[in-house]
Amino acid sequence: MDCLGRSIDIGSFRGIAIKVHPSFALLLIWVIYQWGFATGAGVPGVLFGTIVLLAVFGCVLAHELAHAVVAIRHGLAVHDITLLPIGGVARIEHASLTPRAETLIAVAGPLMNVLIALALTPLVLLIAVAHNINQAIGILLYADEISIAGFILYLWIANILLAIFNLLPAFPMDGGRVLRALLSAHRNRLSATRISVYTAQTMAVALGAGGLLIGDYLMPLVSVFILVSAQMEIRHVEIESALKALPVGQFALWEAGGISPDVPLSFATRGGPRDIVVTRNHQVVGMLWRHELLHHLSGSHHEIYVRDVMDRGFHPAEVSDSVYDVHLWMHESNRSAVPVIDNGEYRGIFTGDRLGHVYQVIEERNRAWHFGMLLAFWNRLRLVWR
Ligand SMILES: [Zn+2]
């Protein structure tokens, strides 16, 4: 994740790169304190703590891989999984998902932790019998012990907590996505998102206040994290639904009707090198990409025509297509511009710059601030699936 600094590759699973963030090393300091000093166990304690830590993060990794595998099964690309001190993040391609697919991907992670806890349960019961533990609190006490029994109990509790925490119906937790997916069955995505975001924020405020009351300062931090993430999710969905409502034809530039395929390439640089639509008799016949234009102009000097260089494999948008669909297509196909047609006739060109203009229009309309910046930020974050 570039926004968080360089992570170290530690391997891959089915083509998904698995990385560890350098800040992960901070956890080792905690392990030395917690298992070495707090328990008074010294070096053996630290070794034991390291094994516990690796095992817990093995379960976090399994959680993320479960999300990733189900996402891949639904045709989404998974970029990588990064382990951070606060947990794991899987960067999964953003796409319009059916409520069912979104639920399945979201549930897969916590389900993995439930399965691990279930697999450990027979051992936990054996330990409980062997140590005469007949109360839940006893399990908590034994989980601190530096022994195989302590290790198994610790891992069992960790997986139960991972499942519960991630299933909280609050963005950005998996449970928040499930709640929205369930609500989407009866209402539109924007309204479903609003309800799940308000739920998340209410819970976050309660969590933060509760934490302050009992003197736990980690809970208010988690609360702020939920509040901010939830707010960004609602902003994102608001922009998304605004983009879906705007027809691309409204923002296409006429650009003098495009350029003819039969003129010399040097004609295309008039007005500055840029992406240009190639037209003949009001029909789009190709795209002249800026980089191709610059590449050929700096090369040989014999006469080259627009038709020699143009891209015939272009993909036109209809005037009525939404800005959202067109922008998604541009992003996925890595294109900087799209020719816009109306009943087969050229109507204009829609470019990345125009997209910036659309954001401005939305911004003015909603009188919200820094939408573009928020969106750029969110475009990074929304790849992250906790
Ligand atoms: Zn998750």
Side-chain angles (χ1 to χ4, degrees):
M1 298 193 55
D2 53 344
C3 52
L4 292 169
R6 188 157 298 176
S7 293
I8 304 143
D9 266 300
I10 55 161
S12 73
F13 178 83
R14 294 198 198 171
I16 306 162
I18 297 164
K19 301 172 175 193
V20 171
H21 194 262
S23 61
F24 201 77
L26 290 174
L27 279 180
L28 287 177
I29 299 170
W30 176 72
V31 164
I32 291 169
Y33 169 77
Q34 188 71 27
W35 271 281
F37 290 98
T39 60
V43 175
V46 172
L47 284 177
F48 179 79
T50 307
I51 295 170
V52 171
L53 178 76
L54 291 179
V56 169
F57 270 84
C59 297
V60 171
L61 180 60
H63 173 113
E64 299 304 331
L65 281 172
H67 285 312
V69 168
V70 178
I72 290 173
R73 201 161 291 168
H74 283 90
L76 301 183
V78 177
H79 301 268
D80 50 38
I81 291 172
T82 304
L83 294 177
L84 299 156
I86 49 160
V89 287
R91 292 199 305 146
I92 297 174
E93 175 197 358
H94 181 82
S96 297
L97 292 171
T98 61
R100 192 183 128 81
E102 188 166 24
T103 305
L104 290 176
I105 297 170
V107 163
L111 184 65
M112 176 58 88
N113 298 113
V114 169
L115 290 177
I116 295 173
L118 279 178
L120 290 173
T121 300
L123 290 173
V124 171
L125 290 175
L126 269 179
I127 293 165
V129 170
H131 289 78
N132 268 322
I133 306 171
N134 44 26
Q135 279 178 314
I137 192 79
I139 289 183
L140 286 177
L141 292 176
Y142 267 96
D144 268 347
E145 202 184 78
I146 298 180
S147 66
I148 292 176
F151 173 77
I152 291 167
L153 294 181
Y154 195 100
L155 214 54
W156 186 69
I157 294 169
N159 276 285
I160 292 172
L161 290 180
L162 277 170
I164 292 174
F165 184 69
N166 281 291
L167 281 175
L168 289 178
F171 273 109
M173 258 61 86
D174 299 326
R177 293 177 190 278
V178 175
L179 177 64
R180 175 172 64 188
L182 291 175
L183 290 169
S184 312
H186 303 287
R187 51 188 72 237
N188 67 46
R189 191 173 160 81
L190 183 57
S191 135
T193 305
R194 278 200 180 119
I195 294 174
S196 39
V197 160
Y198 296 151
T199 310
Q201 291 176 330
T202 309
M203 279 181 46
V205 169
L207 193 73
L212 288 176
L213 277 178
I214 61 165
D216 180 323
Y217 298 104
L218 186 66
M219 270 151 75
L221 270 182
V222 172
S223 154
V224 169
F225 169 71
I226 294 174
L227 282 174
V228 172
S229 310
Q231 197 54 38
M232 286 201 301
E233 180 68 22
I234 191 75
R235 276 266 184 275
H236 171 68
V237 176
E238 271 169 7
I239 294 173
E240 192 180 281
S241 57
L243 290 181
K244 278 179 178 163
L246 293 172
V248 75
Q250 214 175 317
F251 298 93
L253 281 179
W254 173 243
E255 290 271 33
I259 195 168
S260 159
D262 306 317
V263 297
L265 199 57
S266 53
F267 275 46
T269 54
R270 290 175 181 175
R274 59 196 188 283
D275 299 325
I276 305 171
V277 181
V278 186
T279 58
R280 178 183 275 141
N281 300 327
H282 309 294
Q283 307 273 310
V284 178
V285 292
M287 280 299 290
L288 184 58
W289 302 109
R290 183 178 183 272
H291 62 271
E292 290 283 340
L293 181 60
L294 292 173
H295 173 74
H296 284 89
L297 282 177
S298 62
S300 56
H301 289 281
H302 64 85
E303 196 83 282
I304 304 177
Y305 292 88
V306 168
R307 59 174 178 266
D308 303 327
V309 178
M310 71 183 194
D311 176 7
R312 289 160 212 269
F314 64 91
H315 172 106
E318 279 287 338
V319 278
S320 57
D321 286 345
S322 77
V323 173
Y324 179 80
D325 287 337
V326 174
H327 129 268
L328 211 60
W329 181 85
M330 282 165 71
H331 180 72
E332 276 161 15
S333 58
N334 207 11
R335 293 291 194 215
S336 45
V338 177
V340 179
I341 58 171
D342 185 6
N343 281 323
E345 287 203 355
Y346 174 74
R347 273 294 166 265
I349 184 168
F350 185 77
T351 61
D353 286 349
R354 300 303 291 162
L355 194 58
H357 176 68
V358 177
Y359 289 147
Q360 263 176 12
V361 170
I362 295 173
E363 199 171 329
E364 278 157 21
R365 185 189 288 178
N366 293 355
R367 268 189 251 109
W369 47 280
H370 294 325
F371 255 171
M373 211 178 76
L374 261 175
L375 196 88
F377 183 40
W378 183 251
N379 272 331
R380 281 187 181 178
L381 269 189
R382 68 183 173 158
L383 294 166
V384 167
W385 203 301
R386 283 186 183 276

